[in-house]
Amino acid sequence: MHIHEEHVSEPGMVVIDVTAADEATATLAAAELGRLWRSSGPSAPWHTPGRPGVSVRAYLDLRHRPSPAPEEVHPLPGRRRKNRTHGK
């Protein structure tokens, strides 16, 4: 697949190709990267003759992180500290 100049025209813009043993794994990996940065989402999968696996492509913008959905925000596990008065 050809990479067009506008997809990498500025610092922070990247094109990734993910290759995995199967369509579901390649698509999931590209989709998970889209949870970290603004993304086009995975492309339609393709197979390159003579190469193992199935590939997908995604366009990412590392300059912007997506906003997490409220149900995706989880506090870190651990004990909560009690309020302490120092010096007593």
Side-chain angles (χ1 to χ4, degrees):
M1 289 182 73
H2 180 73
I3 297 173
H4 297 281
E5 186 176 339
E6 66 266 14
H7 293 130
V8 291
S9 62
E10 297 179 33
M13 296 176 71
V14 299
V15 179
I16 61 158
D17 291 334
V18 177
T19 302
D22 61 277
E23 237 178 79
T25 303
T27 300
L28 178 61
E32 286 298 313
L33 288 171
R35 290 170 49 119
L36 300 174
W37 296 285
R38 198 172 287 171
S39 170
S40 64
S43 68
W46 77 88
H47 179 265
T48 303
R51 289 191 171 171
V54 178
S55 298
V56 296
R57 174 169 285 175
Y59 301 92
L60 303 175
D61 186 345
L62 304 183
R63 301 169 298 177
H64 304 281
R65 290 183 175 264
S67 300
E71 64 274 3
E72 293 178 12
V73 177
H74 302 286
L76 294 174
R79 296 188 334 206
R80 298 183 100 181
R81 295 183 73 185
K82 292 181 182 179
N83 290 336
R84 294 182 184 182
T85 305
H86 294 285
K88 287 190 176 183

